[in-house]
Amino acid sequence: MTQTKHSTSSTAVYGSEEMVRPAPTMTIPEDMTTPEIAYRMVKDETYAQTQPRLNLATFVTTYMDEYATKLMNEAIAMNFIDQTEYPRVAVMAARCINILANLWHTPERGDSKAGATAIGSSEACMLAGVSHWLRWRKRRQKEGKDATRPNLVISTGMQVVWEKFAQLWQVELRQVPLTRQKRTLSAEDAVAMCDENTICVVAIAGVTWTGLNDDVEALDRVLGEYNERTGYDIPIHVDAASGGFILPFVSPETRWDFRLRGVASISTSGHKFGLVYPGLGWVVWRDKALLPDEMSFSVNYLGAEVTQVGLNFSRPAAQILGQYYNFIRLGREGYRQVQQNSMEIARYCHKRIGAMECFENYSADVVNPLFVWCLSDEWQRSAKWTLYDLQSSLQQSGWMVPAYTLPASIEDIVVMRIVVRQGMSRDMADMLLGDIERSVKELDALKYPTSSRQAYDDKAKQLGKVFTH
């Protein structure tokens, strides 16, 4: 019978009993182990994954400088909502909201702008959607009209959070199809879906599927004319998860924010191009009148009266410190330099990939530090592989470059996407491009079609067409 031995501080990590047993999956272990062994077991679990900075699928920040990382690590135990013990964190959060509101040209006067902290841009979108739903319902009830059939208008290029919002709050989601001819939200098509029950129209600055921006200024004009003609008061929410931290620095002349009268709220992600580790989001309203009182919850928490707008109560404070640090450390010019470098590298990759005979870029321009491309017509017809095979090949070199189909109505288009974030250098881009060229050469040399190519052809035959871009 084998005698169980217990690890001690002198036990070599890979000489320990834990290293020859499977990791716990169903029940908590009976005995303790040393911190070194526990650390190594968890760390080893992550080795098979793509390293974060080689993950070009994610928008999430994977690099912060050592002082930002140190600051956030030192604040890891702080609960943002515990304002009795950590009152200055709430002050910094309010300062961040003011900075964003002014960055987005708020017309609101005073030293305290209307906004909220969120875990990410998804919660920020939820909060904005709820605010428009509550305002619409209150207005309908005041007028003695039916308030049971709200709807929201958005393009099919939306993030899944809007589908969740519609399900949770029982709001009809009216989706404007994207097409090959209309690759962003059509203002005219969006307004055609509006009626007296529309709580808002959502425009997207930085569509995750394609990297493109909806034309918010055109939507503001067309929707403004519609409101004036009908007497309705349908506002615009801008889902600027990516664009909120890109447009002000790389395209300050573009009118997409509170400079447009119809824009009532804007949400963004601090942990994307806000350059903060996850998770952090922000939402700002045009003025306090657009933030319903019902959304502010006040409770006596540990001796302090805490008023909060949010779906979550407890939340980490470290990310707020990280955001405020970035504002101080980088300033407007620092953000401009970082975002401009990301744009430059994205445009470099866009140009190089577009020049490869087998590929075609989905759009001619790069308006955010990300873009998508597809197979050219000739390769689409004759290649023995698909972009899914290219994705798998690049993974073998550590890169995560996703292949996927575009939204409904253009779901026959298979694309790949690169997101360029802080931490991506020109040398890294050249390494990636070299691996893409090598992978394409190997795939072109295949004698027989891959399983994904066979599945692609089978589906095309089933639908009676050949998929193209």
Side-chain angles (χ1 to χ4, degrees), residues 126-423:
M126 284 274 189
L127 293 173
V130 169
S131 72
H132 295 305
W133 171 67
L134 288 173
R135 287 183 60 247
W136 170 84
R137 187 179 67 173
K138 184 182 292 186
R139 185 170 63 249
R140 298 284 291 179
Q141 290 172 340
K142 185 177 180 180
E143 295 171 351
K145 297 179 180 178
D146 177 46
T148 62
R149 294 182 296 162
N151 68 70
L152 178 146
V153 177
I154 193 171
S155 83
T156 53
M158 66 178 184
Q159 263 286 26
V160 69
V161 61
W162 292 107
E163 187 174 353
K164 291 183 179 180
F165 166 78
Q167 290 177 354
L168 291 173
W169 274 271
Q170 295 297 289
V171 175
E172 179 191 355
L173 198 60
R174 296 184 175 178
Q175 299 181 55
V176 181
L178 298 180
T179 67
R180 288 171 173 76
Q181 294 72 38
K182 299 176 181 179
R183 301 192 174 192
T184 58
L185 178 71
S186 161
E188 290 76 16
D189 292 349
V191 171
M193 289 188 175
C194 293
D195 58 29
E196 61 182 351
N197 294 315
T198 303
I199 65 172
C200 70
V201 178
V202 176
I204 304 172
V207 177
T208 59
W209 299 81
T210 62
L212 301 176
N213 294 324
D214 290 341
D215 189 341
V216 188
E217 187 168 16
L219 177 62
D220 179 71
R221 181 183 67 253
V222 176
L223 184 59
E225 293 169 354
Y226 177 80
N227 282 335
E228 186 174 347
R229 185 171 67 252
T230 60
Y232 299 155
D233 182 22
I234 301 172
I236 297 171
H237 172 73
V238 182
D239 179 351
S242 297
F245 274 102
I246 295 295
L247 288 168
F249 303 110
V250 304
S251 185
E253 72 284 354
T254 301
R255 288 164 52 86
W256 65 277
D257 51 18
F258 294 125
R259 285 171 289 184
L260 304 175
R261 292 185 62 185
V263 174
S265 56
I266 301 172
S267 57
T268 195
S269 173
H271 65 232
K272 293 179 182 172
F273 294 105
L275 310 182
V276 180
Y277 290 135
L280 181 67
W282 303 97
V283 57
V284 177
W285 285 269
R286 187 179 191 85
D287 59 58
K288 292 180 178 63
L290 297 175
L291 178 57
D293 293 337
E294 304 95 301
M295 291 182 64
S296 297
F297 292 88
S298 294
V299 297
N300 189 294
Y301 183 68
L302 298 181
E305 191 69 20
V306 176
T307 300
Q308 184 220 20
V309 176
L311 300 176
N312 297 287
F313 195 65
S314 291
R315 64 184 65 218
Q319 283 75 7
I320 295 168
L321 272 62
Q323 186 75 85
Y324 193 49
Y325 168 88
N326 275 347
F327 286 151
I328 295 172
R329 165 71 180 89
L330 295 174
R332 184 184 292 270
E333 179 58 18
Y335 264 101
R336 188 196 67 77
Q337 291 175 0
V338 171
Q339 314 298 37
Q340 193 61 52
N341 279 359
S342 294
M343 289 290 292
E344 185 175 331
I345 292 171
R347 287 175 176 141
Y348 171 70
C349 293
H350 181 265
K351 182 178 180 180
R352 286 278 305 273
I353 288 173
M356 296 181 192
E357 190 177 358
C358 56
F359 297 137
E360 181 174 321
N361 286 322
Y362 185 71
S363 60
D365 300 321
V366 178
V367 294
N368 287 291
L370 65 140
F371 67 94
V372 300
W373 72 92
C374 50
L375 286 176
S376 66
D377 276 339
E378 181 179 349
W379 254 257
Q380 191 77 277
R381 287 190 294 268
S382 60
K384 296 181 176 64
W385 53 277
T386 70
L387 292 181
Y388 296 107
D389 299 306
L390 179 56
Q391 173 184 318
S392 297
S393 179
L394 291 174
Q395 277 184 298
Q396 295 175 24
S397 300
W399 300 103
M400 181 56 205
V401 183
Y404 55 92
T405 58
L406 290 180
S409 73
I410 48 174
E411 69 272 17
D412 55 339
I413 305 176
V414 180
V415 298
M416 293 192 87
R417 184 186 72 199
I418 287 176
V419 180
V420 177
R421 307 178 307 280
Q422 178 177 223

Side-chain angles (χ1 to χ4, degrees), residues 1-52:
M1 180 176 178
T2 303
Q3 184 177 358
T4 301
K5 61 180 181 180
H6 298 295
S7 302
T8 68
S9 59
S10 63
T11 304
V13 170
Y14 287 100
S16 66
E17 180 72 16
E18 287 84 355
M19 289 301 175
V20 294
R21 295 200 308 259
T25 58
M26 300 297 289
T27 59
I28 188 171
E30 290 295 330
D31 299 310
M32 295 188 296
T33 189
T34 67
E36 293 83 2
I37 292 172
Y39 168 84
R40 182 50 56 190
M41 290 180 70
V42 176
K43 184 71 175 178
D44 287 354
E45 285 270 353
T46 68
Y47 275 156
Q49 301 177 142
T50 297
Q51 294 305 303

